[in-house]
Amino acid sequence: MAKRSIILLPDPVLRLVAAPIGTVDDEVRRLADDLLETMYEAPGVGLAAPQVGVSRRLIVLDVSEKDDEKQPHVMINPVIVQRSDEPNVHEEGCLSIPDVRAEIERPTSVVVRYVDRNGALRELSADGLLATCVQHEIDHLEGRLLIDYMSRLRREMVVKRFKKLARDRAMM
Ligand code: NI
């Protein structure tokens, strides 16, 4: 396993629609392992392949409590097949947009269908933090970011700040 670097706003890869994964081979499993390691190291509760610059449909998640046993999820080509009507507002952050939080309303629970690391088709019912997290990570595969849920004014301020940070990094 190897830690990869997380790309930041306004990297254009974050805005691409990610390509489906055809075959679950060793390369895909290696990418999943790298994503998990990168997520745990950050630390975060979810990470999508586009966030390490790989525009493919793979996400990893682990919402277990700090001192509990790890519960890693690897989801390949995830699709939400059911959403509850009941909305839930949760404050979200994103490893590609550090230090920015947004209150986002999403369905409280979802059923997600995906292919696991062994190539088997699976379904998972998620609620609470896991449901929020699954929806946030699947957004990444569509090139959608948490700033898209903000008011236009706030979004433009955040983008401007990150463009400046990227220019400053480029000059160092
Ligand atoms: Ni994110």
Side-chain angles (χ1 to χ4, degrees):
M1 295 214 282
K3 190 175 162 266
R4 304 204 187 186
S5 32
I6 296 175
I7 61 172
L8 303 176
L9 189 75
D11 192 312
V13 175
L14 292 172
R15 289 307 200 177
L16 300 176
V17 175
I21 290 174
T23 314
V24 182
D25 54 16
D26 286 344
E27 190 207 326
V28 170
R29 278 185 282 270
R30 195 173 318 122
L31 175 60
D33 290 340
D34 288 356
L35 282 173
L36 281 169
E37 186 175 333
T38 307
M39 176 188 79
Y40 286 129
E41 176 101 10
V45 291
L47 193 64
Q51 292 182 274
V52 298
V54 179
S55 189
R56 302 185 74 189
R57 303 187 83 83
L58 199 166
I59 63 174
V60 298
L61 316 147
D62 189 341
V63 299
S64 61
E65 296 285 340
K66 202 174 129 221
D67 296 323
D68 291 352
E69 208 180 312
K70 283 193 169 100
Q71 282 172 28
H73 293 280
V74 171
M75 298 184 181
I76 296 158
N77 301 335
V79 179
I80 292 169
V81 292
Q82 222 175 290
R83 294 173 171 81
S84 65
D85 294 330
E86 198 191 340
N88 179 37
V89 178
H90 195 270
E91 194 186 58
E92 300 181 23
C94 182
L95 293 173
S96 293
I97 316 172
D99 303 322
V100 172
R101 314 283 299 175
E103 299 220 316
I104 299 178
E105 185 181 293
R106 303 182 187 273
T108 300
S109 57
V110 293
V111 176
V112 58
R113 184 178 294 158
Y114 63 96
V115 174
D116 72 11
R117 58 181 304 134
N118 299 313
L121 191 62
R122 285 180 178 274
E123 260 185 30
L124 178 78
S125 295
D127 57 18
L129 180 57
L130 185 59
T132 299
C133 198
V134 164
Q135 293 174 86
H136 176 113
E137 299 313 328
I138 291 177
D139 271 357
H140 275 295
L141 305 182
E142 299 300 323
R144 199 179 304 128
L145 301 170
L146 62 77
I147 54 171
D148 300 339
Y149 295 86
M150 293 174 175
S151 69
R152 184 172 158 192
L153 182 68
R154 187 167 175 224
R155 177 169 61 249
E156 284 172 355
M157 278 168 51
V158 171
V159 170
K160 202 172 151 190
R161 180 149 60 86
F162 277 82
K163 278 184 176 163
K164 186 180 182 304
L165 288 170
R167 277 198 304 273
D168 293 350
R169 274 196 307 274
M171 278 190 293
M172 284 197 304

